[in-house]
Amino acid sequence: MHEIDNIVILTGAGISAESGLNTFRAADGLWEGHRVEDVATPEAFLRDPDLVHEFYDVRRKRLGEVEPNAAHVALARLDAEWPGELLIVTQNVDDLHERAGAKRLLHMHGELLQGWCLRCDERFGWAGALGEGAACPRCQTHGMVRPDIVWFGEMPYGMERIEAALLEADLFVSIGTSGAVYPAAGFVQTAKYRAARTLEINLEPSQGSIFFDERRFGLASAEVPRWVDETLF
Ligand code: BV8
């Protein structure tokens, strides 16, 4: 096995499931009868901003009631102790990786606890409800803020940094994601260009499972700490 120095980790909703946050596919991607793809879009926000704000206000409130689980804690430990390059790319908009202590982290789909002013372009921390005419802390404009979250049809954050990291990776690990959404679902292919080893840790085979050299199926709270212990040993 060639020396592993650079690790890129992709996480999805499955790593936060045991903390009590719903995944997208568990409810067949439905929320209150709406398909997520129909609510998490710029068109939906233009059409019915209150509905979209409510979708995120409910999830933002829920986030304050849950804690990181053993999988988040194990990745934070790996981040702290791994001597080589390491990047955790999360599709999740929750802050559980941060709260577990992760530092080398990139939210490619934005963050639930961040707002974005459509008037002055300011991005700002926001833990409460963003609907109900919240005002931008910088320009004070009411009712012109949106969640700082990447919707379907919008360009994910940090793509250049992610692609550079993938092309340098010796190991790519995908944890708790269904492989249903692009470009994240294509990262395993990019990692393989440079013959990186690829590992999938998930409850069940993802849509891209066949592209991985190794697959471990089980609960993230059990499988991720086990993998981190092996990697740091
Ligand atoms: C873009 C933020 C272009 C919002 C999200 C047709 C073909 C291919 C692509 C497309 C297509 N039509 C449209 C597209 C593009 C589209 C896309 O991929 N659509 C899909 C539906 C086909 N992608 C986009 O629009 C992206 N942007 O392409 O831009 C562009 C280019 C240039 C310039 C401008 C634009 C943007 C996508 C980002 C959308 N935003 N999130 C929010 O959170 O509300 S996506 C959202 O769903 C999540 O962030 C996540 O990324 C994604 C998938 O969710 P997962 O994390 O994988 O969760 P899921 O529930 O699906 O799976 C959980 C897994 O965990 C399961 O496998 C389960 O078994 C496992 N699990 C459960 N419990 C556990 C567990 N594992 C371990 N332990 C457990 N306990």
Side-chain angles (χ1 to χ4, degrees), residues 175-213:
I175 301 171
T177 179
S178 61
V181 173
Y182 289 82
F187 290 171
V188 60
Q189 313 278 27
T190 309
K192 288 168 80 93
Y193 279 145
R194 201 183 155 284
R197 271 188 50 221
T198 53
L199 164 65
E200 170 173 79
I201 299 175
N202 207 53
L203 199 56
E204 72 223 340
S206 71
Q207 293 182 24
S209 216
I210 50 160
F211 298 117
F212 288 85
D213 306 319

Short mmCIF file of all heavy atoms in Angstrom, two decimals, residues 175-213:
data_model
loop_
_atom_site.label_atom_id
_atom_site.label_comp_id
_atom_site.label_asym_id
_atom_site.label_seq_id
_atom_site.Cartn_x
_atom_site.Cartn_y
_atom_site.Cartn_z
N ILE A 175 -18.32 9.51 3.35
CA ILE A 175 -19.03 9.04 4.55
C ILE A 175 -20.46 9.58 4.58
O ILE A 175 -20.68 10.79 4.52
CB ILE A 175 -18.30 9.52 5.83
CG1 ILE A 175 -16.86 9.02 5.88
CG2 ILE A 175 -19.07 9.09 7.08
CD1 ILE A 175 -16.01 9.64 7.00
N GLY A 176 -21.44 8.68 4.64
CA GLY A 176 -22.83 9.07 4.88
C GLY A 176 -23.47 9.88 3.79
O GLY A 176 -24.20 10.83 4.06
N THR A 177 -23.20 9.52 2.53
CA THR A 177 -23.87 10.22 1.44
C THR A 177 -24.37 9.23 0.41
O THR A 177 -23.76 8.20 0.17
CB THR A 177 -22.94 11.28 0.79
OG1 THR A 177 -23.63 11.93 -0.28
CG2 THR A 177 -21.66 10.68 0.27
N SER A 178 -25.50 9.57 -0.20
CA SER A 178 -26.17 8.63 -1.11
C SER A 178 -25.58 8.69 -2.51
O SER A 178 -25.90 7.88 -3.37
CB SER A 178 -27.66 8.98 -1.20
OG SER A 178 -27.79 10.32 -1.72
N GLY A 179 -24.71 9.69 -2.76
CA GLY A 179 -24.14 9.80 -4.11
C GLY A 179 -25.20 10.18 -5.14
O GLY A 179 -25.11 9.84 -6.31
N ALA A 180 -26.21 10.92 -4.68
CA ALA A 180 -27.31 11.29 -5.57
C ALA A 180 -27.13 12.68 -6.16
O ALA A 180 -27.77 13.02 -7.15
CB ALA A 180 -28.63 11.25 -4.79
N VAL A 181 -26.30 13.50 -5.54
CA VAL A 181 -26.22 14.91 -5.93
C VAL A 181 -24.83 15.25 -6.46
O VAL A 181 -23.82 14.90 -5.84
CB VAL A 181 -26.59 15.80 -4.72
CG1 VAL A 181 -26.36 17.26 -5.02
CG2 VAL A 181 -28.05 15.57 -4.35
N TYR A 182 -24.80 15.92 -7.57
CA TYR A 182 -23.53 16.36 -8.19
C TYR A 182 -23.29 17.82 -7.86
O TYR A 182 -24.26 18.54 -7.58
CB TYR A 182 -23.63 16.15 -9.71
CG TYR A 182 -23.59 14.68 -10.06
CD1 TYR A 182 -24.74 13.91 -9.97
CD2 TYR A 182 -22.39 14.06 -10.40
CE1 TYR A 182 -24.71 12.55 -10.23
CE2 TYR A 182 -22.36 12.71 -10.67
CZ TYR A 182 -23.52 11.96 -10.57
OH TYR A 182 -23.47 10.61 -10.83
N PRO A 183 -22.07 18.29 -7.90
CA PRO A 183 -20.84 17.58 -8.29
C PRO A 183 -20.24 16.66 -7.20
O PRO A 183 -19.33 15.89 -7.50
CB PRO A 183 -19.88 18.72 -8.60
CG PRO A 183 -20.34 19.86 -7.78
CD PRO A 183 -21.83 19.73 -7.68
N ALA A 184 -20.75 16.68 -5.96
CA ALA A 184 -20.14 15.87 -4.89
C ALA A 184 -20.06 14.39 -5.28
O ALA A 184 -19.07 13.72 -5.02
CB ALA A 184 -20.92 16.04 -3.60
N ALA A 185 -21.10 13.91 -5.95
CA ALA A 185 -21.16 12.48 -6.30
C ALA A 185 -20.06 12.09 -7.29
O ALA A 185 -19.75 10.91 -7.44
CB ALA A 185 -22.53 12.14 -6.87
N GLY A 186 -19.47 13.11 -7.94
CA GLY A 186 -18.41 12.80 -8.92
C GLY A 186 -17.01 12.89 -8.35
O GLY A 186 -16.03 12.60 -9.03
N PHE A 187 -16.88 13.26 -7.06
CA PHE A 187 -15.54 13.45 -6.48
C PHE A 187 -14.72 12.16 -6.50
O PHE A 187 -13.50 12.19 -6.69
CB PHE A 187 -15.64 13.97 -5.04
CG PHE A 187 -16.12 15.39 -4.92
CD1 PHE A 187 -16.42 15.92 -3.68
CD2 PHE A 187 -16.27 16.20 -6.05
CE1 PHE A 187 -16.87 17.24 -3.55
CE2 PHE A 187 -16.71 17.52 -5.93
CZ PHE A 187 -17.02 18.03 -4.68
N VAL A 188 -15.37 11.03 -6.33
CA VAL A 188 -14.62 9.75 -6.31
C VAL A 188 -13.93 9.54 -7.66
O VAL A 188 -12.78 9.07 -7.71
CB VAL A 188 -15.55 8.57 -5.95
CG1 VAL A 188 -16.69 8.41 -6.95
CG2 VAL A 188 -14.75 7.28 -5.80
N GLN A 189 -14.57 9.95 -8.73
CA GLN A 189 -13.94 9.82 -10.06
C GLN A 189 -12.70 10.71 -10.17
O GLN A 189 -11.68 10.29 -10.69
CB GLN A 189 -14.93 10.25 -11.16
CG GLN A 189 -16.31 9.67 -11.02
CD GLN A 189 -16.38 8.26 -11.59
OE1 GLN A 189 -15.39 7.55 -11.63
NE2 GLN A 189 -17.56 7.87 -12.03
N THR A 190 -12.83 11.95 -9.69
CA THR A 190 -11.68 12.87 -9.75
C THR A 190 -10.51 12.30 -8.93
O THR A 190 -9.37 12.30 -9.38
CB THR A 190 -12.09 14.25 -9.19
OG1 THR A 190 -13.27 14.68 -9.83
CG2 THR A 190 -10.97 15.28 -9.39
N ALA A 191 -10.83 11.77 -7.76
CA ALA A 191 -9.77 11.20 -6.89
C ALA A 191 -9.08 10.04 -7.60
O ALA A 191 -7.86 9.85 -7.47
CB ALA A 191 -10.38 10.73 -5.58
N LYS A 192 -9.81 9.30 -8.38
CA LYS A 192 -9.24 8.11 -9.02
C LYS A 192 -8.30 8.48 -10.18
O LYS A 192 -7.47 7.68 -10.59
CB LYS A 192 -10.34 7.17 -9.50
CG LYS A 192 -11.05 6.47 -8.35
CD LYS A 192 -12.32 5.79 -8.78
CE LYS A 192 -12.02 4.47 -9.45
NZ LYS A 192 -12.07 3.34 -8.50
N TYR A 193 -8.45 9.72 -10.71
CA TYR A 193 -7.51 10.15 -11.78
C TYR A 193 -6.08 9.97 -11.31
O TYR A 193 -5.19 9.61 -12.07
CB TYR A 193 -7.70 11.65 -12.11
CG TYR A 193 -8.85 11.95 -13.02
CD1 TYR A 193 -9.59 13.13 -12.86
CD2 TYR A 193 -9.20 11.09 -14.05
CE1 TYR A 193 -10.65 13.41 -13.70
CE2 TYR A 193 -10.26 11.37 -14.89
CZ TYR A 193 -10.99 12.53 -14.70
OH TYR A 193 -12.05 12.81 -15.53
N ARG A 194 -5.87 10.28 -10.00
CA ARG A 194 -4.50 10.23 -9.48
C ARG A 194 -4.31 8.96 -8.67
O ARG A 194 -3.52 8.90 -7.76
CB ARG A 194 -4.29 11.46 -8.59
CG ARG A 194 -2.80 11.78 -8.43
CD ARG A 194 -2.59 12.94 -7.51
NE ARG A 194 -1.27 12.87 -6.90
CZ ARG A 194 -0.98 12.03 -5.90
NH1 ARG A 194 -1.91 11.21 -5.43
NH2 ARG A 194 0.24 11.99 -5.39
N ALA A 195 -5.10 7.97 -9.03
CA ALA A 195 -4.91 6.64 -8.43
C ALA A 195 -4.99 6.68 -6.91
O ALA A 195 -4.32 5.91 -6.24
CB ALA A 195 -3.55 6.06 -8.85
N ALA A 196 -5.77 7.60 -6.38
CA ALA A 196 -5.96 7.60 -4.92
C ALA A 196 -6.73 6.34 -4.54
O ALA A 196 -7.52 5.83 -5.33
CB ALA A 196 -6.76 8.82 -4.50
N ARG A 197 -6.46 5.89 -3.33
CA ARG A 197 -7.32 4.82 -2.80
C ARG A 197 -8.65 5.44 -2.42
O ARG A 197 -8.72 6.62 -2.04
CB ARG A 197 -6.67 4.23 -1.55
CG ARG A 197 -5.71 3.09 -1.85
CD ARG A 197 -5.26 2.42 -0.57
NE ARG A 197 -6.40 2.09 0.28
CZ ARG A 197 -6.40 2.26 1.60
NH1 ARG A 197 -5.36 2.79 2.18
NH2 ARG A 197 -7.46 1.95 2.30
N THR A 198 -9.74 4.67 -2.59
CA THR A 198 -11.06 5.25 -2.30
C THR A 198 -11.82 4.31 -1.37
O THR A 198 -11.83 3.09 -1.57
CB THR A 198 -11.85 5.43 -3.61
OG1 THR A 198 -11.86 4.18 -4.32
CG2 THR A 198 -11.21 6.50 -4.49
N LEU A 199 -12.43 4.89 -0.34
CA LEU A 199 -13.16 4.12 0.67
C LEU A 199 -14.53 4.76 0.87
O LEU A 199 -14.64 5.99 1.01
CB LEU A 199 -12.39 4.15 2.00
CG LEU A 199 -13.13 3.74 3.28
CD1 LEU A 199 -13.54 2.27 3.23
CD2 LEU A 199 -12.28 4.03 4.52
N GLU A 200 -15.57 3.92 0.88
CA GLU A 200 -16.92 4.41 1.18
C GLU A 200 -17.35 3.85 2.52
O GLU A 200 -17.26 2.63 2.73
CB GLU A 200 -17.91 3.97 0.09
CG GLU A 200 -19.38 4.24 0.47
CD GLU A 200 -20.35 3.96 -0.65
OE1 GLU A 200 -20.67 2.78 -0.88
OE2 GLU A 200 -20.78 4.93 -1.30
N ILE A 201 -17.81 4.72 3.42
CA ILE A 201 -18.39 4.27 4.69
C ILE A 201 -19.83 4.77 4.70
O ILE A 201 -20.08 5.99 4.65
CB ILE A 201 -17.63 4.85 5.90
CG1 ILE A 201 -16.17 4.40 5.90
CG2 ILE A 201 -18.32 4.43 7.21
CD1 ILE A 201 -15.33 5.03 6.99
N ASN A 202 -20.80 3.87 4.71
CA ASN A 202 -22.19 4.25 4.58
C ASN A 202 -23.09 3.15 5.16
O ASN A 202 -22.66 2.01 5.34
CB ASN A 202 -22.53 4.48 3.09
CG ASN A 202 -23.68 5.47 2.92
OD1 ASN A 202 -23.66 6.57 3.45
ND2 ASN A 202 -24.69 5.04 2.18
N LEU A 203 -24.37 3.52 5.42
CA LEU A 203 -25.27 2.52 5.97
C LEU A 203 -25.56 1.43 4.94
O LEU A 203 -25.72 0.26 5.26
CB LEU A 203 -26.59 3.21 6.38
CG LEU A 203 -27.50 2.47 7.36
CD1 LEU A 203 -26.74 2.13 8.63
CD2 LEU A 203 -28.70 3.33 7.69
N GLU A 204 -25.57 1.88 3.67
CA GLU A 204 -25.86 0.92 2.57
C GLU A 204 -25.12 1.40 1.34
O GLU A 204 -24.62 2.53 1.32
CB GLU A 204 -27.37 0.91 2.28
CG GLU A 204 -27.83 2.19 1.59
CD GLU A 204 -29.12 2.75 2.12
OE1 GLU A 204 -29.90 2.02 2.75
OE2 GLU A 204 -29.32 3.96 1.94
N PRO A 205 -24.99 0.59 0.30
CA PRO A 205 -24.25 1.03 -0.90
C PRO A 205 -24.84 2.32 -1.45
O PRO A 205 -26.06 2.43 -1.60
CB PRO A 205 -24.43 -0.13 -1.87
CG PRO A 205 -24.72 -1.32 -1.00
CD PRO A 205 -25.48 -0.79 0.18
N SER A 206 -23.99 3.30 -1.76
CA SER A 206 -24.48 4.55 -2.36
C SER A 206 -24.62 4.32 -3.86
O SER A 206 -24.27 3.27 -4.39
CB SER A 206 -23.45 5.65 -2.12
OG SER A 206 -22.29 5.38 -2.93
N GLN A 207 -25.09 5.36 -4.55
CA GLN A 207 -25.28 5.22 -6.00
C GLN A 207 -23.93 5.09 -6.73
O GLN A 207 -23.89 4.63 -7.86
CB GLN A 207 -26.08 6.42 -6.54
CG GLN A 207 -27.52 6.42 -6.02
CD GLN A 207 -28.35 7.56 -6.58
OE1 GLN A 207 -28.04 8.09 -7.64
NE2 GLN A 207 -29.38 7.96 -5.87
N GLY A 208 -22.86 5.51 -6.05
CA GLY A 208 -21.55 5.41 -6.70
C GLY A 208 -20.67 4.33 -6.09
O GLY A 208 -19.46 4.30 -6.28
N SER A 209 -21.29 3.43 -5.36
CA SER A 209 -20.55 2.44 -4.58
C SER A 209 -19.54 1.65 -5.40
O SER A 209 -18.43 1.38 -4.95
CB SER A 209 -21.55 1.46 -3.93
OG SER A 209 -21.07 1.08 -2.67
N ILE A 210 -19.91 1.35 -6.64
CA ILE A 210 -19.03 0.50 -7.45
C ILE A 210 -17.70 1.17 -7.77
O ILE A 210 -16.73 0.51 -8.12
CB ILE A 210 -19.70 0.13 -8.81
CG1 ILE A 210 -20.23 1.38 -9.51
CG2 ILE A 210 -20.81 -0.91 -8.61
CD1 ILE A 210 -20.46 1.20 -10.99
N PHE A 211 -17.62 2.51 -7.61
CA PHE A 211 -16.38 3.22 -7.96
C PHE A 211 -15.35 3.15 -6.84
O PHE A 211 -14.22 3.59 -7.00
CB PHE A 211 -16.67 4.69 -8.29
CG PHE A 211 -17.59 4.86 -9.49
CD1 PHE A 211 -18.83 5.45 -9.35
CD2 PHE A 211 -17.21 4.38 -10.73
CE1 PHE A 211 -19.68 5.59 -10.45
CE2 PHE A 211 -18.05 4.50 -11.83
CZ PHE A 211 -19.29 5.11 -11.69
N PHE A 212 -15.77 2.62 -5.67
CA PHE A 212 -14.87 2.65 -4.51
C PHE A 212 -14.07 1.35 -4.40
O PHE A 212 -14.63 0.25 -4.59
CB PHE A 212 -15.67 2.89 -3.22
CG PHE A 212 -16.18 4.32 -3.11
CD1 PHE A 212 -17.37 4.70 -3.70
CD2 PHE A 212 -15.43 5.27 -2.42
CE1 PHE A 212 -17.83 6.02 -3.63
CE2 PHE A 212 -15.88 6.59 -2.33
CZ PHE A 212 -17.08 6.95 -2.94
N ASP A 213 -12.76 1.49 -4.07
CA ASP A 213 -11.93 0.28 -3.89
C ASP A 213 -12.42 -0.52 -2.71
O ASP A 213 -12.44 -1.74 -2.72
CB ASP A 213 -10.47 0.68 -3.59
CG ASP A 213 -9.91 1.62 -4.65
OD1 ASP A 213 -10.18 1.38 -5.84
OD2 ASP A 213 -9.22 2.60 -4.29
#
